[in-house]
Amino acid sequence: MNATCVLTHDRLLAQARDPSSNLTHAFAGVLARFRTLGLDRDQLIRVLERYFPGGTSLAEVLPAIEAGCPAFRADEISDVLELLLSYRADDSEETVWLAHAMATACLGDNHLWQDMGLSHRDALSDLLRRHFTALYDKNTGNMKWKKFFYKHLCERAEVNLCRAPSCQVCIDYAKCFGSEDGVGDIISTTSRERT
C-alpha cells in the first residue's frame, strides 16, 4: 500500500477512536503532513493503538511513516519541545505526545493550527489551555502561537531580536498578532477569535 494513501488526514480520522477530539485531529494532522510525531517507535505505536485503532494495521502504517519521515531537524525543535514540556499541566502520555507533535509542527510554513491539521485556531488554543495551561496564560496579547513560542524562547535566552521597544509600536505588529484565516495545507479553515 502507498504511504501517501495510508497516511492522509481523512484516512487516519476514519480509523480514529474519537474522530471529534482535537487531540486526535492534532495527531492525525501532524502524522499526515510530517510522517512523524517526533516520538520513538514504541511511543508512536502506543499513539496509533490508542487513537487510530481501526482499519489499517501497524504493519502497514509504520513502514509508511518510517519511509516518509523527513530528515529530522532536532536542533530546531528541541528548544520548543523543552519549552512545552516545562509548562505541561500534567505528566500524562498524551501531554508528552502532544508536546512532541506541536514541536514537530513548528517546522511547517503555515500557522501552527494549520500545520497540525486543526480546523481553526481555537482548537489549538483549547489544547494549549488544557495541556500547557501556564504557557497558554502567558500569551496575554493573543500572539500567534508559533511566534509566541519563539519570542518566549528568545526571552528565556535573554536575546532581544525585536526592532521596537514594545509590540504595540512595532511595524511588524500585524505579522505577530494579525488574523489567522486562510486555507491550510490539510484542511480548509476559517479564522476565529481566541476564547
Side-chain angles (χ1 to χ4, degrees):
M1 185 170 276
N2 184 321
T4 57
C5 179
V6 172
L7 288 174
T8 65
H9 188 262
D10 290 342
R11 176 120 186 227
L12 284 166
L13 287 181
Q15 300 167 21
R17 186 179 311 278
D18 182 4
S20 65
S21 158
N22 285 336
L23 198 54
T24 300
H25 276 271
F27 293 145
V30 175
L31 277 171
R33 178 169 173 113
F34 298 96
R35 300 289 188 259
T36 183
L37 293 177
L39 299 169
D40 67 34
R41 193 173 202 273
D42 291 339
Q43 291 174 322
L44 181 58
I45 289 170
R46 287 201 305 276
V47 171
L48 293 171
E49 288 174 340
R50 189 171 304 165
Y51 286 89
F52 308 102
T56 304
S57 70
L58 289 175
E60 288 178 298
V61 174
L62 285 174
I65 291 171
E66 291 163 354
C69 186
F72 213 48
R73 301 181 318 216
D75 55 323
E76 292 186 40
I77 68 156
S78 62
D79 288 341
V80 176
L81 179 60
E82 182 181 319
L83 172 71
L84 290 167
L85 292 176
S86 71
Y87 282 99
R88 63 185 170 208
D90 59 55
D91 290 327
S92 70
E93 281 185 318
E94 286 80 9
T95 297
V96 173
W97 296 340
L98 181 59
H100 281 268
M102 281 186 187
T104 299
C106 280
L107 297 177
D109 296 328
N110 299 307
H111 297 298
L112 184 56
W113 61 271
Q114 292 171 321
D115 285 327
M116 293 183 73
L118 298 169
S119 58
H120 49 79
R121 186 177 195 260
D122 284 345
L124 174 59
S125 294
D126 289 344
L127 288 171
L128 283 156
R129 181 182 14 241
R130 180 175 175 210
H131 295 276
F132 309 97
T133 310
L135 185 62
Y136 170 87
D137 290 342
K138 285 183 174 289
N139 191 0
T140 58
N142 199 22
M143 183 179 272
K144 295 174 184 177
W145 285 113
K146 267 191 219 180
K147 297 235 183 233
F148 176 76
F149 293 165
Y150 288 102
K151 184 176 188 296
H152 195 72
L153 288 171
C154 287
E155 288 171 357
R156 277 180 142 187
E158 298 180 1
V159 173
N160 185 10
L161 299 176
C162 297
R163 296 189 254 180
S166 72
C167 290
Q168 289 73 21
V169 297
C170 181
I171 61 170
D172 289 330
Y173 183 86
K175 291 179 183 173
C176 295
F177 295 93
S179 173
E180 289 189 55
D181 58 358
V183 177
D185 288 345
I186 300 171
I187 297 177
S188 177
T189 57
T190 59
S191 175
R192 296 188 188 181
E193 296 285 326
R194 178 177 165 199
T195 57

